[in-house]
């Protein structure tokens, strides 16, 4: 089935990255030289997404500007003949009208953010991508779309049992050999004792339109927020609900450690940085012993 729209919830305050995120959206934090949100948009574009819907909030205008022309910069680069740099500055300018922005006026949870985009989604399944969850390779949502039939599909991965309280956690059922696992239950941020497994939801989803009807009820769950997990969980039984065990490497860029790891991982793949960085890392590790 073709999925044409993706929602990018980018309204979060980013308090874990203060003071960096006091006046800058956390989604604009760079991994090497590219903001997190651009990786997310590129992953969606690579999956054939044509409409990019951002749920923003106050103070997030840098995101809108990032996906627009910057005439002063572009003129400057053009006049200096810096064509390659100009290309880099322009590479994210999509077809006019393919980016839409809607405001989430209060931080009432991921489910609430997704619900804020409801008028921009028709009667069709939609992808959701959380830019904090950076996936090296950028094929996961594409693979999910290729495997999607109906209902709800969530990217899942095994995490340490001690970390389950940071995630939505699934109760897994049967698996097939395409990395698809049936989801029998789903709970947002359980305690270690109450977690049904250590298989956690990562920020890639395909949801059916009926999830918006559930979100409409505005029920509050964990952290007294409207949780996407709860809305999807309430559809189990009524429609298919499956986890997609993706194989690409994922970085939790909502945490400082994951963010630093992502920067190192992505830098090591850059030919111009690779050797110097490796040498430096080795010397750092040796001097730490
Ligand atoms: C959100 C979801 C959670 C999911 C996580 C993945 O939580 O609510 O179910 O496991 O993203 O990153 P958040 O990280 O926004 O607290």
């Amino acid at each position: 089935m073709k999925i044409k729209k993706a929602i990018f919830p980018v309204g979060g305050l980013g308090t874990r990255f203060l003071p960096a995120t006091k006046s800058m959206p956390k989604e604009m934090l760079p991994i090497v030289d590219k903001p997190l949100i651009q990786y997310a948009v590129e992953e969606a574009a690579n999956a054939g997404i044509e409409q990019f819907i951002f749920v923003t909030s106050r103070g997030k205008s840098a995101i809108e500007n990032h996906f627009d022309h910057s005439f002063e910069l572009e003129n400057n680069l053009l006049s200096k003949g810096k064509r390659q740099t100009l290309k880099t500055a322009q590479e994210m300018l999509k077809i006019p009208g393919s980016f839409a922005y809607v405001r989430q006026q209060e931080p009432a949870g991921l489910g609430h953010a997704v619900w804020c985009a409801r008028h921009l989604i028709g009667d069709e399944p939609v992808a959701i991508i959380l830019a904090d969850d950076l996936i090296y390779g950028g094929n996961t949502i594409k693979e999910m779309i290729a495997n999607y039939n109906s209902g709800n599909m969530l990217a899942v991965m095994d995490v340490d049992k001690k970390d389950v309280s940071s995630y939505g956690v699934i109760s897994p059922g049967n698996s097939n050999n395409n990395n698809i696992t049936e989801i029998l239950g789903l709970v947002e941020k359980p305690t270690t004792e109450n977690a049904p497994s250590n298989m956690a939801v990562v920020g890639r989803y395909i949801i059916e339109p009926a999830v918006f009807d559930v979100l409409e009820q505005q029920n509050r769950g964990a952290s007294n927020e409207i949780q996407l997990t709860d809305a999807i969980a309430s559809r189990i039984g009524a429609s298919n609900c499956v986890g997609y065990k993706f194989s690409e490497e994922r970085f939790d860029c909502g945490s400082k450690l994951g963010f630093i790891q992502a920067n190192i991982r992505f830098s090591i793949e850059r030919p111009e940085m690779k050797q110097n960085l490796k040498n430096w890392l080795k010397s750092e590790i040796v001097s730490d012993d």
Side-chain angles (χ1 to χ4, degrees):
M1 182 183 293
K2 181 132 177 61
I3 312 278
K4 293 197 287 284
K5 297 181 183 182
I7 299 174
F8 302 85
V10 292
L13 291 171
T15 47
R16 279 193 279 178
F17 279 92
L18 284 169
T21 51
K22 192 175 170 198
S23 63
M24 181 181 81
K26 64 172 174 162
E27 297 79 9
M28 290 301 293
L29 289 170
I31 302 300
V32 192
D33 48 14
K34 197 190 283 186
L36 277 169
I37 189 62
Q38 186 171 338
Y39 288 98
V41 167
E42 285 177 356
E43 185 180 332
N46 178 40
I49 296 293
E50 294 167 4
Q51 296 180 41
F52 304 80
I53 298 158
F54 294 75
V55 183
T56 69
S57 63
R58 290 177 292 283
K60 298 279 182 166
S61 52
I63 295 176
E64 293 185 43
N65 293 336
H66 183 70
F67 294 106
D68 201 347
H69 283 287
S70 171
F71 281 111
E72 192 179 4
L73 173 69
E74 289 171 39
N75 281 340
N76 184 287
L77 294 173
L78 192 61
S79 68
K80 288 183 175 148
K82 295 188 171 173
R83 297 205 166 267
Q84 194 50 43
T85 315
L86 179 64
K87 201 167 156 247
T88 305
Q90 291 176 329
E91 70 189 353
M92 266 291 103
L93 298 174
K94 293 272 158 208
I95 303 159
S98 60
F99 279 53
Y101 301 88
V102 59
R103 285 246 186 146
Q104 183 187 22
Q105 290 145 330
E106 49 173 326
L110 180 59
H112 181 261
V114 168
W115 175 75
C116 286
R118 66 199 179 284
H119 295 306
L120 300 174
I121 311 295
D123 189 25
E124 60 194 309
V126 61
I128 300 170
I129 298 184
L130 307 187
D132 277 1
D133 280 323
L134 177 60
I135 293 188
Y136 186 72
N139 285 307
T140 295
I141 199 72
K142 183 178 185 176
E143 292 168 13
M144 288 172 68
I145 291 172
N147 281 285
Y148 178 81
N149 293 316
S150 67
N152 297 295
M153 180 184 273
L154 294 72
V156 294
M157 67 180 277
D158 288 326
V159 297
D160 281 349
K161 194 85 182 169
K162 64 174 173 40
D163 295 329
V164 286
S165 62
S166 303
Y167 296 94
V169 178
I170 72 164
S171 174
N174 293 330
S175 290
N176 74 6
N177 51 16
N178 277 340
N179 298 324
I180 307 279
T181 300
E182 192 187 353
I183 296 179
L184 305 175
L186 192 54
V187 44
E188 179 69 10
K189 307 215 164 76
T191 59
T192 313
E193 299 75 48
N194 292 337
S197 74
N198 66 335
M199 207 178 272
V201 176
V202 169
R204 301 287 181 280
Y205 309 76
I206 301 172
I207 61 164
E208 58 177 343
V211 172
F212 287 93
D213 300 333
V214 183
L215 291 171
E216 189 79 32
Q217 295 161 16
Q218 308 275 293
N219 293 329
R220 303 248 166 183
S223 315
N224 197 31
E225 292 181 342
I226 300 166
Q227 296 292 353
L228 180 62
T229 307
D230 295 343
I232 295 172
S234 77
R235 296 288 307 155
I236 294 173
S239 57
N240 280 334
C241 190
V242 295
Y244 180 72
K245 289 196 249 174
F246 60 100
S247 56
E248 292 179 309
E249 198 177 358
R250 168 261 185 183
F251 294 91
D252 174 12
C253 292
S255 79
K256 287 176 194 140
L257 180 63
F259 177 74
I260 299 297
Q261 287 169 331
N263 264 297
I264 294 171
R265 184 75 176 86
F266 281 63
S267 303
I268 270 178
E269 298 307 318
R270 295 281 184 95
E272 75 278 17
M273 298 173 75
K274 185 174 181 161
Q275 208 48 56
N276 285 342
L277 180 59
K278 278 190 166 174
N279 293 343
W280 181 79
L281 284 171
K282 276 184 202 153
S283 69
E284 278 295 299
I285 291 162
V286 170
S287 63
D288 192 40
D289 284 343

